[in-house]
């Protein structure tokens, strides 16, 4: 018999989902069978699986050690090494959530099992500070609430607890916060703008296409912007990401003739490759800059009314300085 005490980090999830994470090789039907037969009980009573776990709840599993070893599978090996996120990358932190600045070139989360992503760096950071114990990784992993393209830098939010992760996911679904990006676009844009359209993914090419009319499997998108300054045929934009879809800002602006500087995927060789290399850009100029939070309570109470800002990386800052656009960020 094994007894598990639910920690504050794990609380807030359904019992069945917790068990699936804890015993990933067991299979859902087997776990429900074990609950019906009272081989898995919650707080001394028969469980149905839909109970929401609270801190201090006791789960008892009447399995042999061999059965545990079989159903837990590989999990996170005890000696697994996690890279540690530098403390300087942490923009905000409380008991439930973490806000960090992702560098360009880093995956937000794994695309393949062998990848190293921001999630692993966050895990390493929480292990190094003692806020996360290795044994908790069997049933909980820190998770990010928003993703950025590999070569887009900036602000990412992560849940340090199950309650924090769930609350962040709901916040992003509701779209009640404001998300602002900095983008350097080709061409001179003198007026603020607001465009709508439909975005369709091409998974084979890792690219998207924009249309002005609804299409099958296409998602509705909205993008707004405010020009902050112009220089040498380029415009620094403050972009309001009203909807958040894959490659939305890059493709939406390119579709109206203003691709991002350095964006080889959506910019076109004549506009971006030469000019981007000429300015020292190795990727698109796009940075997740600010998030402004509404009134919040519960797990996100610490973020209520706050504005979090991710500093511009040095290469992008240097480029703006060379273009005499850096001061536009402070006006």
């Amino acid at each position: 018999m094994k007894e598990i005490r639910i920690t504050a980090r794990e609380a807030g999830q359904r019992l069945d989902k917790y068990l699936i994470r804890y015993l990933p090789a067991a299979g859902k039907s087997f776990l429900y069978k074990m609950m019906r037969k009272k081989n898995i009980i919650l707080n001394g009573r028969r469980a149905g699986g839909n109970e929401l776990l609270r801190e201090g709840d006791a789960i008892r599993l009447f399995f042999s050690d061999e059965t545990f070893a079989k159903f837990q599978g590989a999990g996170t090996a005890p000696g697994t090494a996690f890279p540690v996120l530098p403390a300087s990358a942490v923009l905000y932190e409380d008991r439930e959530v973490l806000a960090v600045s992702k560098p360009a070139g880093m995956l937000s989360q794994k695309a393949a099992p062998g990848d190293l992503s921001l999630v692993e760096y966050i895990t390493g950071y929480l292990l190094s500070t003692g806020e996360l114990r290795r044994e908790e990784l069997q049933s909980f992993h820190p998770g990010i609430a928003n993703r950025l393209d590999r070569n887009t830098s900036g602000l990412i939010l992560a849940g340090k607890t199950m309650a924090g992760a769930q609350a962040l996911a709901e916040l992003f679904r509701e779209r009640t916060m404001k998300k602002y990006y900095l983008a350097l676009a080709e061409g001179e844009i003198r007026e603020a703008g607001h465009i709508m359209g439909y975005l369709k993914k091409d998974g084979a090419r890792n690219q998207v296409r924009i249309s002005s009319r609804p299409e099958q499997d296409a998602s509705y998108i909205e993008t707004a912007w405010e020009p902050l300054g112009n220089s040498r045929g380029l415009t620094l934009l403050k972009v309001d990401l009203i909807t958040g879809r894959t490659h939305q800002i890059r493709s939406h602006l390119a579709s109206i003739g203003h691709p991002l500087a350095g964006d080889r995927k959506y910019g076109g060789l004549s506009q971006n490759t030469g000019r981007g290399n000429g300015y020292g850009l190795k990727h698109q100029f796009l940075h997740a800059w600010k998030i402004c939070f509404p009134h919040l309570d519960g797990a996100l109470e610490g973020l209520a009314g706050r504005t979090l800002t991710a500093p511009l990386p040095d290469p992008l800052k240097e480029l703006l300085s060379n273009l005499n656009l850096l001061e536009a960020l402070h006006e």
Side-chain angles (χ1 to χ4, degrees):
M1 189 274 288
K2 184 177 180 65
E3 180 173 289
I4 305 166
R5 287 283 177 177
I6 299 301
T7 66
R9 193 177 307 283
E10 298 162 327
Q13 58 187 306
R14 281 170 51 125
L15 172 62
D16 52 1
K17 293 185 177 180
Y18 175 89
L19 291 171
I20 289 167
R21 293 186 179 98
Y22 191 79
L23 301 170
K28 187 183 291 186
S29 61
F30 173 83
L31 292 171
Y32 276 111
K33 180 180 178 181
M34 291 299 99
M35 284 188 277
R36 287 196 302 271
K37 297 180 69 173
K38 293 188 178 181
N39 286 335
I40 300 176
I41 61 175
L42 176 64
N43 296 327
R45 298 180 179 180
R46 184 199 296 269
N50 61 346
E51 296 86 353
L52 282 181
L53 295 175
R54 298 171 298 178
E55 183 179 0
D57 279 350
I59 303 171
R60 289 185 177 178
L61 303 99
F62 294 91
F63 297 161
S64 68
D65 291 343
E66 293 78 10
T67 302
F68 274 113
K70 174 184 175 182
F71 289 147
Q72 283 192 322
T76 300
T80 300
F82 290 93
V84 178
L85 185 76
S88 59
V90 177
L91 304 174
Y92 171 85
E93 183 174 11
D94 61 28
R95 182 175 180 268
E96 308 285 355
V97 300
L98 184 71
V100 302
S101 183
K102 182 187 85 68
M106 180 183 289
L107 288 168
S108 296
Q109 59 188 28
K110 288 185 177 186
D115 288 339
L116 190 63
S117 72
L118 181 63
V119 172
E120 283 70 58
Y121 277 89
I122 290 173
T123 302
Y125 170 77
L126 295 176
L127 288 170
S128 72
T129 60
E131 288 204 62
L132 180 65
R133 304 193 312 273
R134 279 192 172 270
E135 52 267 32
E136 290 181 291
L137 293 175
Q138 188 65 43
S139 58
F140 173 82
H141 279 267
I144 59 173
N146 59 312
R147 290 182 294 175
L148 300 177
D149 297 340
R150 181 196 287 266
N151 287 322
T152 297
S153 57
L155 186 55
I156 284 186
L157 296 168
K160 292 170 58 176
T161 67
M162 183 60 66
Q166 291 172 338
L168 284 174
E170 180 65 21
L171 182 65
F172 274 88
R173 280 194 297 269
E174 290 176 348
R175 300 179 189 169
T176 52
M177 58 188 171
K178 302 291 287 183
K179 297 171 287 183
Y180 297 108
Y181 286 65
L182 290 176
L184 189 65
E186 296 279 357
E188 291 194 356
I189 304 173
R190 297 291 182 179
E191 302 291 335
H194 181 178
I195 53 176
M196 295 158 282
Y198 296 87
L199 179 150
K200 188 170 184 177
K201 295 181 182 179
D202 182 344
R205 299 173 60 192
N206 188 30
Q207 201 162 355
V208 302
R209 181 172 57 82
I210 304 296
S211 62
S212 58
R213 297 181 179 181
E215 293 185 20
Q216 185 176 358
D217 300 325
S219 300
Y220 174 76
I221 56 172
E222 280 189 71
T223 311
W225 66 82
E226 173 190 346
L228 300 179
N230 306 90
S231 177
R232 304 181 204 173
L234 297 167
T235 301
L236 178 63
L237 297 174
K238 176 184 177 182
V239 180
D240 181 357
L241 189 63
I242 298 171
T243 58
R245 304 293 183 184
T246 302
H247 298 182
Q248 178 179 322
I249 294 173
R250 298 165 63 187
S251 59
H252 216 179
L253 286 171
S255 73
I256 59 170
H258 296 291
L260 302 191
D263 193 343
R264 291 162 178 79
K265 187 180 289 285
Y266 296 104
L269 295 177
S270 61
Q271 285 183 294
N272 266 322
T273 303
R275 175 170 282 175
N277 287 339
Y279 286 123
L281 281 175
K282 297 180 180 179
H283 49 75
Q284 72 271 6
F285 191 121
L286 184 61
H287 178 69
W289 189 31
K290 293 177 184 284
I291 296 182
C292 302
F293 295 93
H295 171 75
L296 299 165
D297 53 22
L300 302 184
E301 185 177 4
L303 292 172
R306 287 181 179 266
T307 295
L308 299 182
T309 303
L312 203 61
D314 288 341
L316 302 188
K317 189 185 298 184
E318 182 179 353
L319 174 54
L320 291 187
S321 179
N322 292 339
L323 293 170
N324 295 316
L325 288 174
L326 193 58
E327 287 303 313
L329 298 181
H330 309 295
E331 292 177 358

